[in-house]
Coordinates of all heavy atoms in Angstrom, one line a residue:
M7 N 79.7 51.3 28.4 CA 80.0 52.5 27.6 C 78.7 53.3 27.4 O 77.7 52.8 26.9 CB 80.6 52.1 26.2 CG 80.8 53.2 25.3 SD 81.5 52.5 23.8 CE 81.6 54.0 22.8
T8 N 78.7 54.6 27.8 CA 77.6 55.4 27.6 C 77.7 56.1 26.3 O 78.7 56.2 25.7 CB 77.4 56.4 28.7 OG1 78.5 57.3 28.7 CG2 77.3 55.8 30.1
Q9 N 76.5 56.6 25.8 CA 76.4 57.3 24.6 C 75.9 58.7 24.8 O 75.3 59.0 25.8 CB 75.5 56.5 23.6 CG 76.1 55.2 23.2 CD 75.2 54.5 22.2 OE1 74.2 55.0 21.7 NE2 75.5 53.2 22.0
G10 N 76.1 59.5 23.8 CA 75.6 60.9 23.9 C 76.7 61.8 24.2 O 77.8 61.5 24.5
I11 N 76.3 63.1 24.2 CA 77.2 64.2 24.6 C 77.5 64.0 26.1 O 76.6 63.8 26.9 CB 76.6 65.5 24.3 CG1 76.3 65.7 22.8 CG2 77.4 66.7 24.9 CD1 75.5 66.9 22.5
P12 N 78.7 64.1 26.5 CA 79.0 64.1 28.0 C 78.1 65.0 28.7 O 77.9 66.2 28.3 CB 80.5 64.4 28.1 CG 81.1 64.1 26.7 CD 80.0 64.4 25.7
A13 N 77.6 64.6 29.9 CA 76.7 65.4 30.6 C 77.3 66.8 31.0 O 76.6 67.8 31.0 CB 76.3 64.6 31.9
A14 N 78.6 66.8 31.3 CA 79.2 68.1 31.7 C 79.2 69.1 30.5 O 79.3 70.3 30.8 CB 80.7 67.8 32.1
E15 N 79.0 68.6 29.3 CA 79.0 69.5 28.1 C 77.6 70.0 27.7 O 77.5 70.8 26.8 CB 79.7 68.8 27.0 CG 81.2 68.6 27.2 CD 81.9 67.9 26.1 OE1 81.4 67.9 25.0 OE2 83.0 67.3 26.3
L16 N 76.6 69.4 28.4 CA 75.2 69.8 28.0 C 74.9 71.1 28.6 O 75.3 71.4 29.7 CB 74.2 68.7 28.5 CG 74.3 67.3 27.9 CD1 73.5 66.4 28.7 CD2 73.9 67.4 26.4
S17 N 74.0 71.9 27.9 CA 73.5 73.1 28.5 C 72.6 72.7 29.7 O 72.2 71.5 29.8 CB 72.7 73.9 27.5 OG 71.5 73.2 27.1
D18 N 72.2 73.6 30.5 CA 71.3 73.3 31.6 C 70.0 72.8 31.1 O 69.5 71.8 31.6 CB 71.1 74.6 32.5 CG 72.3 75.0 33.3 OD1 73.3 74.3 33.3 OD2 72.2 76.1 33.9
D19 N 69.4 73.4 30.1 CA 68.2 72.9 29.5 C 68.3 71.5 28.9 O 67.4 70.7 29.1 CB 67.6 73.9 28.5 CG 67.1 75.2 29.0 OD1 66.8 75.3 30.3 OD2 67.0 76.2 28.3
D20 N 69.4 71.3 28.2 CA 69.6 70.0 27.6 C 69.8 68.9 28.7 O 69.3 67.8 28.6 CB 70.8 70.0 26.7 CG 70.5 70.7 25.4 OD1 69.3 71.0 25.1 OD2 71.4 71.1 24.7
L21 N 70.5 69.2 29.8 CA 70.7 68.3 30.8 C 69.4 67.9 31.5 O 69.1 66.7 31.7 CB 71.6 68.9 31.9 CG 71.8 68.1 33.2 CD1 72.4 66.7 32.9 CD2 72.7 68.8 34.2
E22 N 68.5 68.9 31.8 CA 67.2 68.6 32.4 C 66.4 67.8 31.4 O 65.7 66.8 31.9 CB 66.5 69.9 32.8 CG 67.3 70.5 34.0 CD 66.5 71.7 34.6 OE1 65.5 71.4 35.3 OE2 66.8 72.8 34.3
R23 N 66.4 68.1 30.1 CA 65.6 67.3 29.2 C 66.1 65.9 29.1 O 65.3 64.9 29.1 CB 65.7 68.0 27.8 CG 64.8 67.3 26.8 CD 65.0 67.8 25.3 NE 66.3 67.3 24.9 CZ 67.3 68.0 24.6 NH1 67.3 69.3 24.7 NH2 68.4 67.4 24.1
E24 N 67.4 65.7 29.0 CA 68.0 64.3 28.9 C 67.7 63.5 30.1 O 67.4 62.3 30.1 CB 69.5 64.4 28.7 CG 69.9 64.9 27.3 CD 69.6 63.9 26.2 OE1 69.9 62.7 26.5 OE2 69.2 64.3 25.2
L25 N 67.8 64.1 31.3 CA 67.5 63.4 32.5 C 66.0 63.1 32.6 O 65.7 61.9 33.0 CB 67.9 64.3 33.7 CG 67.9 63.7 35.1 CD1 68.7 62.4 35.1 CD2 68.4 64.6 36.1
R26 N 65.1 64.0 32.2 CA 63.7 63.6 32.2 C 63.4 62.5 31.3 O 62.7 61.5 31.6 CB 62.9 64.9 31.8 CG 61.4 64.8 31.9 CD 60.7 66.0 31.6 NE 61.2 67.3 32.1 CZ 62.0 68.2 31.5 NH1 62.3 68.0 30.2 NH2 62.5 69.2 32.1
H27 N 64.0 62.5 30.1 CA 63.8 61.4 29.1 C 64.4 60.1 29.7 O 63.7 59.1 29.5 CB 64.5 61.8 27.8 CG 64.4 60.8 26.8 ND1 63.2 60.5 26.1 CD2 65.3 59.9 26.3 CE1 63.4 59.5 25.3 NE2 64.6 59.1 25.3
A28 N 65.5 60.1 30.3 CA 66.1 58.9 30.9 C 65.2 58.3 31.9 O 65.0 57.1 31.9 CB 67.5 59.2 31.5
H29 N 64.6 59.1 32.8 CA 63.7 58.6 33.8 C 62.4 58.1 33.1 O 61.8 57.0 33.6 CB 63.3 59.7 34.8 CG 64.5 59.9 35.7 ND1 64.7 61.2 36.3 CD2 65.5 59.2 36.1 CE1 65.8 61.1 37.1 NE2 66.3 59.9 37.0
E30 N 61.9 58.7 32.1 CA 60.7 58.2 31.4 C 60.9 56.9 30.7 O 60.0 56.0 30.7 CB 60.3 59.2 30.3 CG 59.7 60.5 30.9 CD 59.5 61.6 29.9 OE1 59.9 61.5 28.7 OE2 58.9 62.7 30.3
K31 N 62.1 56.6 30.2 CA 62.4 55.4 29.4 C 62.8 54.2 30.3 O 62.9 53.1 29.9 CB 63.6 55.7 28.4 CG 63.2 56.6 27.3 CD 62.0 56.1 26.5 CE 62.4 54.9 25.7 NZ 61.2 54.3 25.0
R32 N 63.1 54.5 31.6 CA 63.7 53.5 32.4 C 62.8 52.2 32.5 O 63.4 51.1 32.3 CB 63.8 54.0 33.9 CG 64.4 53.0 34.8 CD 65.8 52.8 34.5 NE 66.5 51.9 35.5 CZ 67.7 51.6 35.4 NH1 68.5 52.1 34.5 NH2 68.2 50.8 36.3
H33 N 61.6 52.3 32.6 CA 60.7 51.1 32.7 C 60.7 50.3 31.4 O 60.8 49.1 31.4 CB 59.3 51.5 33.1 CG 58.4 50.3 33.3 ND1 57.6 49.8 32.4 CD2 58.3 49.5 34.4 CE1 57.0 48.7 32.8 NE2 57.4 48.5 34.0
D34 N 60.6 51.0 30.3 CA 60.6 50.3 29.0 C 61.9 49.5 28.8 O 61.9 48.4 28.4 CB 60.5 51.3 27.9 CG 59.2 52.0 27.8 OD1 58.2 51.5 28.4 OD2 59.1 53.1 27.2
I35 N 63.0 50.1 29.2 CA 64.3 49.4 29.1 C 64.4 48.2 30.0 O 64.9 47.1 29.7 CB 65.5 50.4 29.2 CG1 65.5 51.4 28.1 CG2 66.8 49.6 29.3 CD1 66.4 52.5 28.2
L36 N 63.9 48.4 31.2 CA 63.9 47.3 32.2 C 63.1 46.2 31.7 O 63.5 45.0 31.8 CB 63.4 47.8 33.6 CG 63.2 46.8 34.7 CD1 64.6 46.3 35.1 CD2 62.5 47.4 35.9
V37 N 61.9 46.4 31.2 CA 61.0 45.4 30.8 C 61.3 44.8 29.4 O 61.3 43.5 29.2 CB 59.5 45.9 30.8 CG1 58.6 44.9 30.2 CG2 59.1 46.3 32.2
E38 N 61.7 45.6 28.5 CA 61.9 45.1 27.1 C 63.3 45.1 26.6 O 63.6 44.5 25.6 CB 61.1 46.0 26.2 CG 59.6 46.0 26.5 CD 58.8 47.0 25.7 OE1 59.4 47.6 24.7 OE2 57.6 47.2 26.0
G39 N 64.3 45.7 27.4 CA 65.6 45.8 26.9 C 66.5 44.6 27.3 O 66.1 43.7 28.0
T40 N 67.7 44.7 26.7 CA 68.7 43.6 27.1 C 69.5 44.1 28.3 O 69.4 45.2 28.8 CB 69.7 43.5 25.9 OG1 70.5 44.7 25.8 CG2 69.0 43.1 24.6
V41 N 70.2 43.2 28.9 CA 71.0 43.5 30.0 C 72.0 44.6 29.7 O 72.3 45.5 30.5 CB 71.8 42.2 30.6 CG1 72.8 42.5 31.6 CG2 70.8 41.2 31.1
D42 N 72.6 44.5 28.5 CA 73.6 45.6 28.1 C 72.9 46.9 28.0 O 73.4 47.9 28.4 CB 74.2 45.2 26.8 CG 75.3 44.1 26.9 OD1 75.8 43.9 28.0 OD2 75.6 43.5 25.9
Q43 N 71.7 47.0 27.4 CA 70.9 48.2 27.3 C 70.6 48.8 28.7 O 70.8 50.0 29.0 CB 69.6 48.0 26.6 CG 69.8 47.8 25.1 CD 68.6 47.4 24.4 OE1 67.7 46.7 24.9 NE2 68.4 48.0 23.2
L44 N 70.2 47.9 29.6 CA 69.9 48.4 31.0 C 71.2 48.9 31.7 O 71.2 49.9 32.4 CB 69.3 47.2 31.8 CG 68.9 47.5 33.2 CD1 67.9 48.6 33.2 CD2 68.4 46.3 33.9
R45 N 72.3 48.2 31.5 CA 73.6 48.6 32.1 C 74.0 50.0 31.5 O 74.3 50.9 32.3 CB 74.7 47.6 31.8 CG 76.0 47.9 32.4 CD 77.1 46.9 32.2 NE 76.7 45.6 32.6 CZ 76.4 44.5 31.8 NH1 76.5 44.6 30.5 NH2 76.0 43.3 32.4
N46 N 73.9 50.1 30.2 CA 74.3 51.4 29.6 C 73.3 52.5 30.0 O 73.8 53.7 30.3 CB 74.3 51.3 28.1 CG 75.4 50.5 27.5 OD1 76.5 50.4 28.2 ND2 75.3 49.9 26.4
H47 N 72.1 52.2 30.1 CA 71.1 53.2 30.6 C 71.4 53.6 32.0 O 71.3 54.8 32.4 CB 69.7 52.7 30.5 CG 68.6 53.7 30.8 ND1 68.1 53.9 32.0 CD2 68.0 54.6 30.0 CE1 67.2 54.8 32.0 NE2 67.1 55.3 30.7
S48 N 71.7 52.7 32.9 CA 72.0 53.0 34.2 C 73.3 53.9 34.3 O 73.3 54.8 35.1 CB 72.3 51.7 35.0 OG 71.1 50.9 35.1
L49 N 74.3 53.6 33.5 CA 75.5 54.4 33.6 C 75.2 55.8 33.1 O 75.7 56.8 33.7 CB 76.6 53.8 32.7 CG 77.2 52.5 33.2 CD1 78.1 51.8 32.1 CD2 77.9 52.7 34.5
R50 N 74.4 55.9 32.0 CA 74.1 57.3 31.5 C 73.3 58.1 32.4 O 73.5 59.3 32.7 CB 73.4 57.1 30.1 CG 73.0 58.4 29.5 CD 74.1 59.3 29.2 NE 73.7 60.5 28.4 CZ 74.4 61.5 28.1 NH1 75.7 61.5 28.4 NH2 73.9 62.5 27.4
T51 N 72.3 57.4 33.0 CA 71.4 58.1 34.0 C 72.2 58.6 35.2 O 72.0 59.7 35.7 CB 70.3 57.2 34.4 OG1 69.5 56.8 33.3 CG2 69.3 57.9 35.4
A52 N 73.1 57.7 35.7 CA 74.0 58.1 36.8 C 74.9 59.3 36.4 O 75.0 60.3 37.2 CB 74.8 57.0 37.3
E53 N 75.4 59.3 35.2 CA 76.2 60.4 34.8 C 75.4 61.7 34.7 O 75.8 62.8 35.2 CB 76.7 60.1 33.4 CG 77.5 61.3 32.8 CD 77.9 61.1 31.3 OE1 77.3 60.2 30.6 OE2 78.6 61.9 30.8
L54 N 74.2 61.6 34.2 CA 73.3 62.8 34.1 C 72.9 63.3 35.5 O 72.9 64.5 35.8 CB 72.0 62.5 33.3 CG 72.2 62.2 31.8 CD1 71.0 61.6 31.2 CD2 72.7 63.4 31.1
E55 N 72.6 62.3 36.4 CA 72.2 62.7 37.8 C 73.3 63.4 38.5 O 73.1 64.3 39.3 CB 71.7 61.5 38.5 CG 70.3 61.0 38.0 CD 69.8 59.7 38.6 OE1 70.6 59.0 39.2 OE2 68.6 59.4 38.4
R56 N 74.6 62.9 38.4 CA 75.7 63.5 39.0 C 75.9 64.9 38.5 O 76.1 65.8 39.3 CB 77.0 62.7 38.7 CG 77.2 61.5 39.7 CD 78.6 60.9 39.5 NE 78.9 60.5 38.2 CZ 78.6 59.3 37.7 NH1 77.9 58.4 38.4 NH2 78.9 59.0 36.4
A57 N 75.8 65.1 37.2 CA 75.9 66.5 36.6 C 74.8 67.4 37.2 O 75.1 68.6 37.5 CB 75.8 66.4 35.1
Y58 N 73.6 66.9 37.3 CA 72.5 67.7 37.8 C 72.8 68.1 39.3 O 72.6 69.3 39.6 CB 71.2 66.9 37.8 CG 70.0 67.7 38.2 CD1 69.3 68.4 37.3 CD2 69.6 67.6 39.5 CE1 68.2 69.1 37.7 CE2 68.5 68.4 40.0 CZ 67.8 69.1 39.0 OH 66.7 69.9 39.5
V59 N 73.2 67.2 40.1 CA 73.5 67.5 41.5 C 74.7 68.5 41.6 O 74.6 69.4 42.4 CB 73.8 66.2 42.3 CG1 74.3 66.5 43.7 CG2 72.5 65.4 42.4
D60 N 75.7 68.3 40.7 CA 76.8 69.2 40.7 C 76.4 70.7 40.4 O 76.8 71.6 41.0 CB 77.9 68.8 39.8 CG 78.6 67.6 40.2 OD1 78.5 67.2 41.4 OD2 79.3 67.0 39.4
R61 N 75.5 70.8 39.4 CA 75.0 72.1 38.9 C 73.9 72.7 39.8 O 73.9 73.9 40.0 CB 74.5 72.0 37.5 CG 75.5 71.8 36.5 CD 74.9 71.9 35.1 NE 75.7 71.2 34.2 CZ 75.4 71.1 32.9 NH1 74.4 71.8 32.4 NH2 76.2 70.5 32.1
F62 N 73.1 71.9 40.3 CA 71.9 72.4 41.0 C 71.8 71.8 42.4 O 70.7 71.4 42.9 CB 70.6 72.0 40.2 CG 70.6 72.4 38.8 CD1 70.7 71.5 37.7 CD2 70.6 73.7 38.4 CE1 70.7 71.8 36.4 CE2 70.6 74.1 37.1 CZ 70.7 73.2 36.1
A63 N 72.9 71.9 43.1 CA 72.9 71.3 44.5 C 71.9 72.0 45.4 O 71.3 71.4 46.3 CB 74.3 71.5 45.1
D64 N 71.6 73.3 45.1 CA 70.6 74.0 45.9 C 69.1 73.4 45.7 O 68.3 73.7 46.5 CB 70.6 75.5 45.5 CG 70.3 75.8 44.1 OD1 70.8 75.0 43.2 OD2 69.6 76.7 43.8
R65 N 68.9 72.7 44.6 CA 67.6 72.1 44.3 C 67.4 70.7 45.0 O 66.3 70.2 45.1 CB 67.4 71.9 42.8 CG 67.3 73.2 42.1 CD 67.1 72.9 40.6 NE 67.2 74.0 39.8 CZ 67.0 74.0 38.5 NH1 66.8 72.9 37.8 NH2 67.2 75.1 37.7
V66 N 68.5 70.1 45.4 CA 68.5 68.8 45.9 C 68.5 68.9 47.5 O 69.3 69.5 48.1 CB 69.7 68.0 45.5 CG1 69.7 66.5 46.0 CG2 69.7 67.9 44.0
K67 N 67.4 68.3 48.1 CA 67.3 68.3 49.5 C 68.3 67.4 50.1 O 68.7 66.3 49.6 CB 65.9 67.9 49.9 CG 64.8 68.8 49.5 CD 63.5 68.3 49.9 CE 62.3 69.1 49.5 NZ 62.4 70.1 48.6
D68 N 68.9 67.8 51.3 CA 69.8 66.9 52.0 C 69.0 65.8 52.7 O 67.8 65.9 52.8 CB 70.8 67.6 52.9 CG 70.1 68.3 54.1 OD1 69.0 67.8 54.6 OD2 70.6 69.3 54.6
S69 N 69.7 64.8 53.2 CA 69.1 63.7 53.8 C 68.2 64.0 55.0 O 67.2 63.4 55.3 CB 70.1 62.6 54.2 OG 71.1 63.1 55.1
A70 N 68.6 65.0 55.8 CA 67.8 65.4 57.0 C 66.5 66.0 56.5 O 65.4 65.7 57.1 CB 68.6 66.4 57.8
E71 N 66.5 66.8 55.4 CA 65.2 67.3 54.9 C 64.4 66.2 54.3 O 63.2 66.2 54.5 CB 65.5 68.4 53.8 CG 66.2 69.6 54.3 CD 66.5 70.6 53.2 OE1 65.5 71.1 52.6 OE2 67.6 70.9 53.0
K72 N 65.0 65.2 53.6 CA 64.2 64.2 53.1 C 63.5 63.3 54.2 O 62.4 62.9 54.0 CB 65.1 63.3 52.2 CG 65.4 64.0 50.9 CD 66.2 63.1 49.9 CE 66.4 63.8 48.6 NZ 67.2 63.0 47.7
A73 N 64.2 63.1 55.2 CA 63.7 62.3 56.4 C 62.4 63.0 56.9 O 61.5 62.3 57.3 CB 64.7 62.1 57.5
D74 N 62.4 64.3 56.9 CA 61.3 65.1 57.4 C 60.1 64.9 56.5 O 58.9 65.0 56.9 CB 61.6 66.6 57.5 CG 62.5 66.9 58.6 OD1 62.7 66.0 59.6 OD2 63.2 67.9 58.6
L75 N 60.3 64.6 55.2 CA 59.2 64.4 54.3 C 58.6 63.0 54.4 O 57.4 62.8 53.9 CB 59.7 64.6 52.8 CG 60.2 66.0 52.5 CD1 60.8 66.0 51.1 CD2 59.1 67.0 52.6
L76 N 59.3 62.1 54.9 CA 58.7 60.7 55.0 C 57.8 60.5 56.1 O 57.7 61.1 57.1 CB 59.9 59.7 55.1 CG 60.9 59.7 54.0 CD1 62.0 58.7 54.3 CD2 60.2 59.2 52.7

């Protein structure tokens, strides 16, 4: 069960802020959190990332472009 406002209901600025915060907290939760906290964090992060890709598809490089970067 995830917590917080559903990602689809967040403003663009709030979505970007929440996603940035989720990525910043990931290591702390991995190292110090419980399995349930990690599971919930993973679900919430995935929800935020899906919303980001849906809204800002033009910002996300496709796999062919990413392969060129490697």
